[in-house]
Amino acid sequence: MPPRGKGKGKGKGKGKGKGKRGRRGAPVAGEEVMRVRTPRRDDGELFGIIVQMLGFDRVRVRCEDGEIRIGRILGRMKKRVWMRVGDTVLVVPWEFQTDAKCDVVWRYRGNEIEWLQKKGFLKMF
């Protein structure tokens, strides 16, 4: 067996690698760099606001084109991203039943909504 101790082995512990701690840093020159997902209009993405929670991973969404659709929360977002009434989301209407159903593909957080309003993307709400 190799000796245990403070050797230079590759085991876990207090290694010299930076890991997640090395990637943290202050914003450059006081300005915060933010990447906000905007709708891909050629893919048919629209902004929407959740009006009602329906259960079984479904929500009622008022879309920017004036339609109220039943939205399905995608599987990758079910457990990771919690949604509430009033959240601004990005939806994609179905190719079949375009005016009645859609998929919810993204939920915006507070700072992202402020950025979208400042840049003029959320004029309709």
Side-chain angles (χ1 to χ4, degrees), residues 4 11 19 35 53 58 60 69 72 74 76 92 95 100 104-106 124:
R4 292 187 179 185
R35 296 190 73 174
M53 301 297 292
R58 302 221 189 294
R60 194 172 308 257
R69 294 181 171 92
R72 178 179 62 177
L74 296 181
R76 64 183 175 174
V92 178
E95 294 177 9
V104 177
V105 295
W106 189 262
M124 71 292 305

Side-chain angles (χ1 to χ4, degrees), residues 30 37-38 47 81-82 93 111 121:
R37 181 168 179 197
T38 55
F47 287 115
V81 180
W82 294 98
N111 58 346
F121 284 98

Side-chain angles (χ1 to χ4, degrees), residues 89-102:
V89 293
L90 201 58
V91 299
V92 178
W94 288 5
E95 294 177 9
F96 179 72
Q97 295 182 338
T98 305
D99 56 346
K101 299 198 178 177
C102 63

